[in-house]
Amino acid sequence: MSDVVEKTLTALPSLLSLDSQPGSTKLSSTSKLGTLIRGITELTSKHEEEKLIQRELTSIKEQVSSPNTSMRQMKELMVRAIYCEMLGYEAAFSYIHAIKLAQQGTALEKRVGYLAVSLFLNESHELLLLLVNTVLKDLQSTNLIEVCMALTVVSQIFPKDMIPAILPLVEEKLNHPKEIIRRKAVLALYKFYLIAPNQVQHIHNKFRKALCDKDPGVMTASLHIYLQMIQENPEGYKDLTASFVTIMKQVVGGKLPMDFNYHSVPAPWLQIQLLRILSLLGKNDQSTSEIMYEVLDESLRRAEMNHNITYAILYECVKCIYTIHPKSELLEKAAKCIGNFVLSPKINLKYLGLKALTYVVQQDPKLALQHQMTIIECLDHPDLIIKRETLELLFRITNAQNVTVIVEKMLEFLRINKDDYTTIDLVGKVAELAEKYAPDNEWFIETMNTVFSLGGDMMQPDIPNSFLKLLSEGFDSVEEDRKLRLFAVDSYVSLLQGEPGKLPQRFLQVISWVLGEYSYLRKELEAATVLKLLAKLLDMKNTSSETKSWVLMAMTKLCEGRTGLSVAQEVSETYSSSLDTVLRQRAQELQHLSQDWELQARVLPRDTGHEPLEVDSSLSFLDGFVSEALAAGAAPYKPQHQRQEELAQAKALSLDPYGLSLPISMSSCSIADRQSPTLLSISSGLSGDSTELSHKGGSTSLKLDGVKRVWGREGYLAQREPVEECAHVEVPSPLRSPNHHGEADGSPSQTPTPTPTPTPEPELEKRQLASSLFVGLSSQSSLCLMGKSEPTPQRFRRKAKGPVSSSVASEQISNSLVSTPSTVDNLLCNNLLDTNITSELDVSSLQQTSQLTHGLTAANGHCDVELTDSDIKGSSPSLIGDNGLVAADPGLHEDPDGPKDLCLSSHLPAELSGLSHSEITPLCSKQSLDLSACHVHKDDFLVLVVFIYNSSDSDIQQIILELDSDELEVSCVCDSRVQEARSHSVAVCQYFLTVKRPSVHVEVVGIVSYQFPVGTPQSVQFSYKLPLTSFIRPLTLTTEEYGTMWLDFSHDTKQNLTLISDGQEPLAATLNMLEKKLQLHVVEVIGMEGIVACRLLPDQPCLMHCRLHAGTLAVWLRSPVPDLPDCLMYHCQRALQEH
């Protein structure tokens, strides 16, 4: 046992007051824990330790079960159980006693109980429910120690479902007079935010109060929450930049107490946290970055290189400077700081310098030229970590001129590397560079062979899949396709003729597929020869069942005519009786197809190309089935994220008191589902898993429909938490379009690698190697979207072949470690970044495309108005008041039979009269009161105008109009309110509408109450529905801005839409129609592809990438708003169908 652990365990009893004398610093000779520790340290074998621990656990179990055990004795028993658990021996019997100790003991005993619980249990342990009451009681205690202990255990482990029970108490502690309580309360809220962010959304203002707390410890604790929130939404906290800069100035200036200093450095961890926050806020924002220039300069100046902690501050400061909007003076100082790191003789500082240089080289590739000799020396450094980071740096600066040298260095490191993680990472990088910058076919195939050999079966399966996809799809040149495949066939035949037993299984699978597909291209290579080579693979002992399946499939493709018939029959007979069902199936296929040549020609044709199947990604052929199922009462489809949210809500415990059920007319009987993009669902008001409300005769019986069964005969039924998997999405690296210059310079024979001589000079070799590695960097003047300079075009450029589904292809490519570019990345990097052209297209005036329908229900005074389809869910309002009404005398109302729209339109406010608006639609009518509405389009918002018309001979008094919406934010335009509407007059009310949750159609629900001079008060309900397209506005962008935004958005959807042709080019005609109907902005159209941008009011962007694909329009939508791409895709589809 190490000295540190022994000293720690020696001091533990005194800290927990287990000794007879208070304050004793030595382990008491009578302490049973001391006896146990000494006994373990004197043992000589693991077996003896196990016997001793088992005896100790048996003794502890007997004592904790005894009714005569006091709380003081229980405290010591828990400490001994903790020690046994620390050594890896389970003491599950003591868990319940630890909870009892936390519930019943004194302050010191509760401390040990809470400590044991936090070490024994995890957040999902069922026994934690027994601790909730204790935590609630201790949080309300007047004893500061008990409050601190409760907050500590809450911030460590606490059931997610029980957060609502203690959240109000934790919020109260933010105002506690003691700073330690406030700090622990902030840390508890940080824990809540990590595990259940939706439950603390309402207390963001209290986080701001904690940020401004007079105690530095509380302020520091609040930075953890802000760092997490700013990472998710930087735009929402730009207004706090000045506050963070002020805090940073005070910290750097030494204004904090000396207790926060570490090695004379003022609050270093606080500085690091603030620098990370500032880098997030200043990214791509010049005005915000200018606020922090001064404090970053001061931080660089004060952080002298004299201790490890200052190095960490300098590293974060350099990253921040290169992340925010650049300033030349700061960039020079940061570059100098990086140079000091890289040139340091200390390994840790050199690694830190390489790490910083790797990050910085994305913005400034020329900076690597200043330290090229140091980087060359790091390639031969004895420390493997330094070597690995140097190779990462070289990967970032690779281009077509230095790819052969850099790949060679990576492969050299792979041959000596023993770490699996490094191997997986490097083979992916080599495969990516080989595909992007290969100088010729031979080099590409040989490099990939080495990758497959060194990577073995540890590499990601996407690497061989992407390689085979590249071979099958081909490139722009048919001759290049043939040469590449021929060289691959020759290479793999020679490998099989050698020692195939040493090759990894995945490499053998690649070889089998390539020989089965393309060995016929080599005319002089007989199929029988290839069949015999493949048959040898089946006889090897180390060949896996999966590889044998690949081999059998390849042999099936090669059996043509009578060629190799005997070999095929022998193999099929061998594996027809295999226990593996896949092998048995492949053997049967081989047997039948080898005997029936005509059938084989139809099933496995040659020289026809690999025409992909056309895939209907929208599954439109199921529309009829879905409609019938919905009509029969089936539940509407819900997206995965909504199902997970509802499942989480269903698992959460309801802490609201029980009450009587409301009448169905007043209760909320509709659940806000996310609208289906196909709009085939949502025909009823209830979601699929909700329980239908029934109110028969005012029954108050308890309804248990849908209630989970938590307790059974065996006790509490443990519920397993669903595992939420986050798909890791890798953005494909952009590729340049190919041209033919530079190939000779990139060929292996002409690469300027050092020429071996009998007595080479080391310095000369290093300079020659540097000239090979850093060639081309000095001429790089622009950066691509991925932050990596690529002045030389890619050699292998895949061509689009046949009607490939854009969604399927993109998903397969984006998941690959060998980052094959998606269509949009090709478009951006091949064509758009090379120009600075900004497309300025005239946006036509808004056209009303919705068909307005209305209905009046005079009996109950309720009416729904729909602007498009009728299968939209309603929702009962939670009504709000304080709305502004503008009274207006009637215009020409002598003709009651005239068009009502014409009469009411004259009452539009003057500031709205000249703007485009929808048709004025009746909402509802009751007695002498008529309600109508329309929406007026402005550039930055939408105005809902409600007309209240009194057609009676009496004045209507006490008018109150209240509106609400689940999807929209509703706010009145003016503060004045009209309490009455005179006889035969119109009252006009205006509201601003903005979207807070996108849906295919949005709805405003409301109620108007009023009273005649003689009579009882009346009220009438109404709803007004309008499409999401009413809130869409053009977003004018340059191509470069579009490319930057595209990579930042994570929510997307893909679908193939129909093209239109009005006597002009189909892509242009389709985009022009969408531009007019949906108010989109066409950024640029290049060949068969186009990019479009729009925004959802007030300022939520959505980007669209379109390309012609097999007679359809392949559309890819991206947005930072989760539901917006699906909704906009639906409206695009409807617009094209209605055309």
Side-chain angles (χ1 to χ4, degrees), residues 311 314-320 322 334-335 337-339 341-342 348-364 367-368 371 389 393 396:
Y311 304 149
L314 287 173
Y315 174 72
E316 290 294 337
C317 197
V318 168
K319 287 184 64 178
C320 181
Y322 274 93
C337 182
I338 293 175
F341 280 142
V342 173
N348 290 340
L349 293 187
K350 191 179 290 293
Y351 172 78
L352 198 62
L354 291 172
K355 195 83 174 174
L357 195 58
T358 303
Y359 180 82
V360 168
V361 79
Q362 299 180 17
Q363 284 78 23
D364 186 9
L367 189 61
H371 307 286
E389 192 60 37
L393 172 60
R396 302 296 178 96

mmCIF file of all heavy atoms in Angstrom, residues 311 314-320 322 334-335 337-339 341-342 348-364 367-368 371 389 393 396:
data_model
loop_
_atom_site.group_PDB
_atom_site.id
_atom_site.type_symbol
_atom_site.label_atom_id
_atom_site.label_comp_id
_atom_site.label_asym_id
_atom_site.label_seq_id
_atom_site.Cartn_x
_atom_site.Cartn_y
_atom_site.Cartn_z
ATOM 1 N N TYR A 311 0.512 28.011 -16.928
ATOM 2 C CA TYR A 311 0.527 27.445 -18.280
ATOM 3 C C TYR A 311 -0.892 27.102 -18.737
ATOM 4 O O TYR A 311 -1.253 27.305 -19.902
ATOM 5 C CB TYR A 311 1.397 26.191 -18.328
ATOM 6 C CG TYR A 311 2.815 26.392 -17.854
ATOM 7 C CD1 TYR A 311 3.514 25.367 -17.230
ATOM 8 C CD2 TYR A 311 3.456 27.620 -18.018
ATOM 9 C CE1 TYR A 311 4.815 25.546 -16.793
ATOM 10 C CE2 TYR A 311 4.756 27.802 -17.570
ATOM 11 C CZ TYR A 311 5.432 26.765 -16.953
ATOM 12 O OH TYR A 311 6.714 26.956 -16.516
ATOM 13 N N LEU A 314 -2.590 30.318 -19.711
ATOM 14 C CA LEU A 314 -2.105 30.802 -21.004
ATOM 15 C C LEU A 314 -2.687 29.984 -22.155
ATOM 16 O O LEU A 314 -3.042 30.524 -23.212
ATOM 17 C CB LEU A 314 -0.576 30.754 -21.035
ATOM 18 C CG LEU A 314 0.153 31.814 -20.207
ATOM 19 C CD1 LEU A 314 1.640 31.538 -20.188
ATOM 20 C CD2 LEU A 314 -0.108 33.202 -20.783
ATOM 21 N N TYR A 315 -2.791 28.680 -21.963
ATOM 22 C CA TYR A 315 -3.354 27.820 -23.010
ATOM 23 C C TYR A 315 -4.808 28.192 -23.297
ATOM 24 O O TYR A 315 -5.214 28.330 -24.461
ATOM 25 C CB TYR A 315 -3.245 26.359 -22.576
ATOM 26 C CG TYR A 315 -3.911 25.387 -23.514
ATOM 27 C CD1 TYR A 315 -3.359 25.102 -24.760
ATOM 28 C CD2 TYR A 315 -5.093 24.746 -23.160
ATOM 29 C CE1 TYR A 315 -3.975 24.209 -25.630
ATOM 30 C CE2 TYR A 315 -5.711 23.851 -24.018
ATOM 31 C CZ TYR A 315 -5.147 23.583 -25.245
ATOM 32 O OH TYR A 315 -5.748 22.704 -26.096
ATOM 33 N N GLU A 316 -5.604 28.354 -22.244
ATOM 34 C CA GLU A 316 -7.009 28.741 -22.446
ATOM 35 C C GLU A 316 -7.108 30.138 -23.047
ATOM 36 O O GLU A 316 -7.998 30.416 -23.853
ATOM 37 C CB GLU A 316 -7.763 28.682 -21.114
ATOM 38 C CG GLU A 316 -7.987 27.284 -20.572
ATOM 39 C CD GLU A 316 -8.900 26.454 -21.446
ATOM 40 O OE1 GLU A 316 -9.697 27.045 -22.206
ATOM 41 O OE2 GLU A 316 -8.826 25.218 -21.380
ATOM 42 N N CYS A 317 -6.186 31.024 -22.672
ATOM 43 C CA CYS A 317 -6.206 32.376 -23.207
ATOM 44 C C CYS A 317 -5.889 32.368 -24.703
ATOM 45 O O CYS A 317 -6.516 33.088 -25.492
ATOM 46 C CB CYS A 317 -5.211 33.244 -22.441
ATOM 47 S SG CYS A 317 -5.465 35.006 -22.642
ATOM 48 N N VAL A 318 -4.925 31.553 -25.109
ATOM 49 C CA VAL A 318 -4.582 31.446 -26.528
ATOM 50 C C VAL A 318 -5.758 30.884 -27.326
ATOM 51 O O VAL A 318 -6.099 31.393 -28.409
ATOM 52 C CB VAL A 318 -3.332 30.560 -26.702
ATOM 53 C CG1 VAL A 318 -3.129 30.185 -28.160
ATOM 54 C CG2 VAL A 318 -2.100 31.271 -26.173
ATOM 55 N N LYS A 319 -6.410 29.850 -26.799
ATOM 56 C CA LYS A 319 -7.570 29.289 -27.488
ATOM 57 C C LYS A 319 -8.683 30.323 -27.619
ATOM 58 O O LYS A 319 -9.353 30.405 -28.645
ATOM 59 C CB LYS A 319 -8.094 28.063 -26.724
ATOM 60 C CG LYS A 319 -7.220 26.825 -26.856
ATOM 61 C CD LYS A 319 -7.836 25.634 -26.157
ATOM 62 C CE LYS A 319 -9.140 25.223 -26.793
ATOM 63 N NZ LYS A 319 -9.726 24.023 -26.152
ATOM 64 N N CYS A 320 -8.880 31.122 -26.571
ATOM 65 C CA CYS A 320 -9.922 32.144 -26.611
ATOM 66 C C CYS A 320 -9.606 33.201 -27.671
ATOM 67 O O CYS A 320 -10.484 33.621 -28.432
ATOM 68 C CB CYS A 320 -10.067 32.790 -25.231
ATOM 69 S SG CYS A 320 -11.338 34.054 -25.135
ATOM 70 N N TYR A 322 -7.873 32.921 -30.395
ATOM 71 C CA TYR A 322 -8.030 32.401 -31.751
ATOM 72 C C TYR A 322 -9.463 31.951 -32.052
ATOM 73 O O TYR A 322 -9.770 31.612 -33.190
ATOM 74 C CB TYR A 322 -7.065 31.230 -31.984
ATOM 75 C CG TYR A 322 -5.691 31.689 -32.431
ATOM 76 C CD1 TYR A 322 -4.679 31.904 -31.508
ATOM 77 C CD2 TYR A 322 -5.421 31.912 -33.764
ATOM 78 C CE1 TYR A 322 -3.419 32.327 -31.904
ATOM 79 C CE2 TYR A 322 -4.167 32.335 -34.173
ATOM 80 C CZ TYR A 322 -3.168 32.542 -33.243
ATOM 81 O OH TYR A 322 -1.926 32.960 -33.651
ATOM 82 N N ALA A 334 -0.340 35.866 -28.820
ATOM 83 C CA ALA A 334 -0.689 34.459 -28.641
ATOM 84 C C ALA A 334 0.275 33.553 -29.406
ATOM 85 O O ALA A 334 0.676 32.490 -28.905
ATOM 86 C CB ALA A 334 -2.128 34.223 -29.113
ATOM 87 N N ALA A 335 0.675 33.972 -30.605
ATOM 88 C CA ALA A 335 1.636 33.176 -31.377
ATOM 89 C C ALA A 335 2.979 33.096 -30.663
ATOM 90 O O ALA A 335 3.629 32.046 -30.665
ATOM 91 C CB ALA A 335 1.806 33.785 -32.766
ATOM 92 N N CYS A 337 3.398 33.231 -27.451
ATOM 93 C CA CYS A 337 3.186 32.338 -26.313
ATOM 94 C C CYS A 337 3.253 30.874 -26.753
ATOM 95 O O CYS A 337 3.861 30.038 -26.075
ATOM 96 C CB CYS A 337 1.843 32.643 -25.662
ATOM 97 S SG CYS A 337 1.473 31.651 -24.221
ATOM 98 N N ILE A 338 2.647 30.569 -27.900
ATOM 99 C CA ILE A 338 2.708 29.196 -28.422
ATOM 100 C C ILE A 338 4.148 28.806 -28.722
ATOM 101 O O ILE A 338 4.587 27.681 -28.452
ATOM 102 C CB ILE A 338 1.831 29.080 -29.680
ATOM 103 C CG1 ILE A 338 0.361 29.253 -29.319
ATOM 104 C CG2 ILE A 338 2.047 27.741 -30.368
ATOM 105 C CD1 ILE A 338 -0.561 29.268 -30.520
ATOM 106 N N GLY A 339 4.916 29.745 -29.289
ATOM 107 C CA GLY A 339 6.319 29.465 -29.573
ATOM 108 C C GLY A 339 7.107 29.134 -28.322
ATOM 109 O O GLY A 339 7.960 28.236 -28.324
ATOM 110 N N PHE A 341 5.935 27.745 -25.667
ATOM 111 C CA PHE A 341 5.548 26.397 -25.265
ATOM 112 C C PHE A 341 6.277 25.352 -26.101
ATOM 113 O O PHE A 341 6.856 24.392 -25.576
ATOM 114 C CB PHE A 341 4.032 26.213 -25.424
ATOM 115 C CG PHE A 341 3.220 26.801 -24.310
ATOM 116 C CD1 PHE A 341 2.011 27.422 -24.571
ATOM 117 C CD2 PHE A 341 3.649 26.723 -22.997
ATOM 118 C CE1 PHE A 341 1.250 27.956 -23.551
ATOM 119 C CE2 PHE A 341 2.897 27.254 -21.967
ATOM 120 C CZ PHE A 341 1.702 27.876 -22.236
ATOM 121 N N VAL A 342 6.221 25.522 -27.414
ATOM 122 C CA VAL A 342 6.778 24.511 -28.315
ATOM 123 C C VAL A 342 8.279 24.358 -28.131
ATOM 124 O O VAL A 342 8.827 23.248 -28.200
ATOM 125 C CB VAL A 342 6.432 24.869 -29.776
ATOM 126 C CG1 VAL A 342 7.129 23.933 -30.742
ATOM 127 C CG2 VAL A 342 4.929 24.816 -30.000
ATOM 128 N N ASN A 348 5.915 18.346 -20.797
ATOM 129 C CA ASN A 348 4.529 18.790 -20.604
ATOM 130 C C ASN A 348 4.247 20.078 -21.357
ATOM 131 O O ASN A 348 3.179 20.241 -21.972
ATOM 132 C CB ASN A 348 4.233 18.976 -19.113
ATOM 133 C CG ASN A 348 4.181 17.644 -18.375
ATOM 134 O OD1 ASN A 348 3.991 16.593 -18.988
ATOM 135 N ND2 ASN A 348 4.348 17.691 -17.068
ATOM 136 N N LEU A 349 5.203 21.016 -21.321
ATOM 137 C CA LEU A 349 4.996 22.281 -22.016
ATOM 138 C C LEU A 349 5.066 22.091 -23.528
ATOM 139 O O LEU A 349 4.338 22.748 -24.281
ATOM 140 C CB LEU A 349 6.041 23.299 -21.565
ATOM 141 C CG LEU A 349 5.940 23.770 -20.113
ATOM 142 C CD1 LEU A 349 6.912 24.894 -19.854
ATOM 143 C CD2 LEU A 349 4.534 24.221 -19.793
ATOM 144 N N LYS A 350 5.932 21.214 -23.970
ATOM 145 C CA LYS A 350 6.004 20.954 -25.414
ATOM 146 C C LYS A 350 4.699 20.346 -25.908
ATOM 147 O O LYS A 350 4.198 20.705 -26.985
ATOM 148 C CB LYS A 350 7.189 20.021 -25.711
ATOM 149 C CG LYS A 350 7.520 19.899 -27.197
ATOM 150 C CD LYS A 350 8.701 19.001 -27.405
ATOM 151 C CE LYS A 350 9.977 19.635 -26.915
ATOM 152 N NZ LYS A 350 10.370 20.811 -27.730
ATOM 153 N N TYR A 351 4.147 19.429 -25.119
ATOM 154 C CA TYR A 351 2.858 18.844 -25.500
ATOM 155 C C TYR A 351 1.762 19.912 -25.527
ATOM 156 O O TYR A 351 0.929 19.941 -26.436
ATOM 157 C CB TYR A 351 2.479 17.744 -24.517
ATOM 158 C CG TYR A 351 1.078 17.199 -24.719
ATOM 159 C CD1 TYR A 351 0.803 16.295 -25.742
ATOM 160 C CD2 TYR A 351 0.034 17.597 -23.897
ATOM 161 C CE1 TYR A 351 -0.463 15.804 -25.945
ATOM 162 C CE2 TYR A 351 -1.252 17.121 -24.094
ATOM 163 C CZ TYR A 351 -1.490 16.218 -25.106
ATOM 164 O OH TYR A 351 -2.758 15.741 -25.308
ATOM 165 N N LEU A 352 1.780 20.802 -24.535
ATOM 166 C CA LEU A 352 0.787 21.874 -24.497
ATOM 167 C C LEU A 352 0.940 22.788 -25.707
ATOM 168 O O LEU A 352 -0.061 23.235 -26.302
ATOM 169 C CB LEU A 352 0.944 22.675 -23.202
ATOM 170 C CG LEU A 352 -0.240 23.541 -22.772
ATOM 171 C CD1 LEU A 352 -1.455 22.666 -22.498
ATOM 172 C CD2 LEU A 352 0.107 24.351 -21.538
ATOM 173 N N GLY A 353 2.187 23.057 -26.109
ATOM 174 C CA GLY A 353 2.412 23.876 -27.291
ATOM 175 C C GLY A 353 1.910 23.216 -28.560
ATOM 176 O O GLY A 353 1.309 23.869 -29.435
ATOM 177 N N LEU A 354 2.151 21.917 -28.698
ATOM 178 C CA LEU A 354 1.654 21.197 -29.874
ATOM 179 C C LEU A 354 0.131 21.166 -29.894
ATOM 180 O O LEU A 354 -0.493 21.289 -30.954
ATOM 181 C CB LEU A 354 2.219 19.772 -29.886
ATOM 182 C CG LEU A 354 3.719 19.635 -30.157
ATOM 183 C CD1 LEU A 354 4.169 18.200 -29.937
ATOM 184 C CD2 LEU A 354 4.048 20.085 -31.573
ATOM 185 N N LYS A 355 -0.443 21.022 -28.714
ATOM 186 C CA LYS A 355 -1.906 21.007 -28.622
ATOM 187 C C LYS A 355 -2.480 22.356 -29.056
ATOM 188 O O LYS A 355 -3.463 22.422 -29.823
ATOM 189 C CB LYS A 355 -2.308 20.705 -27.179
ATOM 190 C CG LYS A 355 -3.763 20.317 -26.999
ATOM 191 C CD LYS A 355 -3.967 18.856 -27.300
ATOM 192 C CE LYS A 355 -5.395 18.425 -26.985
ATOM 193 N NZ LYS A 355 -5.654 17.038 -27.409
ATOM 194 N N ALA A 356 -1.869 23.422 -28.573
ATOM 195 C CA ALA A 356 -2.329 24.757 -28.963
ATOM 196 C C ALA A 356 -2.098 25.012 -30.445
ATOM 197 O O ALA A 356 -2.944 25.586 -31.135
ATOM 198 C CB ALA A 356 -1.619 25.815 -28.119
ATOM 199 N N LEU A 357 -0.952 24.564 -30.951
ATOM 200 C CA LEU A 357 -0.645 24.764 -32.367
ATOM 201 C C LEU A 357 -1.617 23.987 -33.249
ATOM 202 O O LEU A 357 -2.018 24.462 -34.320
ATOM 203 C CB LEU A 357 0.797 24.329 -32.642
ATOM 204 C CG LEU A 357 1.415 24.789 -33.969
ATOM 205 C CD1 LEU A 357 1.395 26.299 -34.081
ATOM 206 C CD2 LEU A 357 2.851 24.273 -34.070
ATOM 207 N N THR A 358 -2.012 22.796 -32.810
ATOM 208 C CA THR A 358 -2.989 22.004 -33.556
ATOM 209 C C THR A 358 -4.325 22.728 -33.635
ATOM 210 O O THR A 358 -5.011 22.711 -34.665
ATOM 211 C CB THR A 358 -3.176 20.634 -32.895
ATOM 212 O OG1 THR A 358 -1.907 19.971 -32.830
ATOM 213 C CG2 THR A 358 -4.158 19.779 -33.679
ATOM 214 N N TYR A 359 -4.707 23.389 -32.551
ATOM 215 C CA TYR A 359 -5.960 24.140 -32.544
ATOM 216 C C TYR A 359 -5.856 25.403 -33.393
ATOM 217 O O TYR A 359 -6.763 25.744 -34.158
ATOM 218 C CB TYR A 359 -6.333 24.492 -31.112
ATOM 219 C CG TYR A 359 -7.608 25.282 -30.969
ATOM 220 C CD1 TYR A 359 -8.836 24.637 -30.986
ATOM 221 C CD2 TYR A 359 -7.587 26.658 -30.829
ATOM 222 C CE1 TYR A 359 -10.013 25.347 -30.870
ATOM 223 C CE2 TYR A 359 -8.762 27.384 -30.713
ATOM 224 C CZ TYR A 359 -9.979 26.722 -30.731
ATOM 225 O OH TYR A 359 -11.136 27.441 -30.611
ATOM 226 N N VAL A 360 -4.715 26.077 -33.287
ATOM 227 C CA VAL A 360 -4.547 27.376 -33.942
ATOM 228 C C VAL A 360 -4.337 27.225 -35.446
ATOM 229 O O VAL A 360 -4.733 28.088 -36.226
ATOM 230 C CB VAL A 360 -3.372 28.129 -33.284
ATOM 231 C CG1 VAL A 360 -2.963 29.334 -34.102
ATOM 232 C CG2 VAL A 360 -3.749 28.540 -31.879
ATOM 233 N N VAL A 361 -3.724 26.115 -35.873
ATOM 234 C CA VAL A 361 -3.363 25.969 -37.273
ATOM 235 C C VAL A 361 -4.601 25.926 -38.170
ATOM 236 O O VAL A 361 -4.518 26.159 -39.381
ATOM 237 C CB VAL A 361 -2.503 24.698 -37.471
ATOM 238 C CG1 VAL A 361 -3.360 23.448 -37.496
ATOM 239 C CG2 VAL A 361 -1.662 24.788 -38.729
ATOM 240 N N GLN A 362 -5.770 25.653 -37.595
ATOM 241 C CA GLN A 362 -7.000 25.699 -38.380
ATOM 242 C C GLN A 362 -7.305 27.119 -38.843
ATOM 243 O O GLN A 362 -7.871 27.323 -39.910
ATOM 244 C CB GLN A 362 -8.169 25.160 -37.552
ATOM 245 C CG GLN A 362 -7.985 23.720 -37.111
ATOM 246 C CD GLN A 362 -9.157 23.218 -36.291
ATOM 247 O OE1 GLN A 362 -10.226 23.808 -36.309
ATOM 248 N NE2 GLN A 362 -8.962 22.135 -35.581
ATOM 249 N N GLN A 363 -6.921 28.112 -38.012
ATOM 250 C CA GLN A 363 -7.151 29.506 -38.387
ATOM 251 C C GLN A 363 -5.947 30.126 -39.094
ATOM 252 O O GLN A 363 -6.114 31.010 -39.924
ATOM 253 C CB GLN A 363 -7.485 30.343 -37.144
ATOM 254 C CG GLN A 363 -8.891 30.153 -36.598
ATOM 255 C CD GLN A 363 -9.043 28.882 -35.787
ATOM 256 O OE1 GLN A 363 -8.075 28.349 -35.271
ATOM 257 N NE2 GLN A 363 -10.269 28.394 -35.673
ATOM 258 N N ASP A 364 -4.747 29.686 -38.751
ATOM 259 C CA ASP A 364 -3.537 30.288 -39.312
ATOM 260 C C ASP A 364 -2.539 29.186 -39.664
ATOM 261 O O ASP A 364 -1.655 28.852 -38.866
ATOM 262 C CB ASP A 364 -2.920 31.269 -38.298
ATOM 263 C CG ASP A 364 -1.744 32.038 -38.883
ATOM 264 O OD1 ASP A 364 -1.523 31.925 -40.104
ATOM 265 O OD2 ASP A 364 -1.045 32.746 -38.139
ATOM 266 N N LEU A 367 1.396 29.575 -39.294
ATOM 267 C CA LEU A 367 2.070 29.568 -38.002
ATOM 268 C C LEU A 367 2.923 28.312 -37.830
ATOM 269 O O LEU A 367 3.938 28.339 -37.126
ATOM 270 C CB LEU A 367 1.028 29.660 -36.875
ATOM 271 C CG LEU A 367 1.573 29.874 -35.455
ATOM 272 C CD1 LEU A 367 2.341 31.181 -35.371
ATOM 273 C CD2 LEU A 367 0.431 29.873 -34.448
ATOM 274 N N ALA A 368 2.503 27.211 -38.482
ATOM 275 C CA ALA A 368 3.291 25.978 -38.383
ATOM 276 C C ALA A 368 4.641 26.121 -39.054
ATOM 277 O O ALA A 368 5.611 25.437 -38.674
ATOM 278 C CB ALA A 368 2.517 24.817 -38.996
ATOM 279 N N HIS A 371 7.655 27.009 -36.815
ATOM 280 C CA HIS A 371 8.187 26.001 -35.888
ATOM 281 C C HIS A 371 8.382 24.663 -36.596
ATOM 282 O O HIS A 371 8.295 23.605 -35.969
ATOM 283 C CB HIS A 371 7.223 25.823 -34.713
ATOM 284 C CG HIS A 371 6.861 27.103 -34.023
ATOM 285 N ND1 HIS A 371 7.734 27.778 -33.200
ATOM 286 C CD2 HIS A 371 5.725 27.841 -34.055
ATOM 287 C CE1 HIS A 371 7.143 28.873 -32.735
ATOM 288 N NE2 HIS A 371 5.925 28.935 -33.240
ATOM 289 N N GLU A 389 0.595 13.645 -30.855
ATOM 290 C CA GLU A 389 0.085 14.998 -31.029
ATOM 291 C C GLU A 389 0.724 15.674 -32.239
ATOM 292 O O GLU A 389 0.083 16.468 -32.926
ATOM 293 C CB GLU A 389 0.343 15.815 -29.758
ATOM 294 C CG GLU A 389 -0.393 17.137 -29.713
ATOM 295 C CD GLU A 389 -1.903 16.958 -29.796
ATOM 296 O OE1 GLU A 389 -2.431 15.982 -29.229
ATOM 297 O OE2 GLU A 389 -2.552 17.796 -30.460
ATOM 298 N N LEU A 393 -1.145 17.251 -35.566
ATOM 299 C CA LEU A 393 -0.855 18.556 -36.156
ATOM 300 C C LEU A 393 -0.596 18.428 -37.658
ATOM 301 O O LEU A 393 -1.102 19.222 -38.466
ATOM 302 C CB LEU A 393 0.344 19.188 -35.450
ATOM 303 C CG LEU A 393 0.918 20.473 -36.057
ATOM 304 C CD1 LEU A 393 -0.135 21.572 -36.082
ATOM 305 C CD2 LEU A 393 2.144 20.927 -35.275
ATOM 306 N N ARG A 396 -3.673 18.085 -39.740
ATOM 307 C CA ARG A 396 -4.421 19.328 -39.980
ATOM 308 C C ARG A 396 -3.832 20.154 -41.122
ATOM 309 O O ARG A 396 -4.533 20.989 -41.693
ATOM 310 C CB ARG A 396 -4.457 20.175 -38.707
ATOM 311 C CG ARG A 396 -5.074 19.505 -37.503
ATOM 312 C CD ARG A 396 -6.532 19.189 -37.723
ATOM 313 N NE ARG A 396 -7.123 18.506 -36.590
ATOM 314 C CZ ARG A 396 -7.799 19.101 -35.612
ATOM 315 N NH1 ARG A 396 -7.973 20.405 -35.664
ATOM 316 N NH2 ARG A 396 -8.299 18.405 -34.624
#
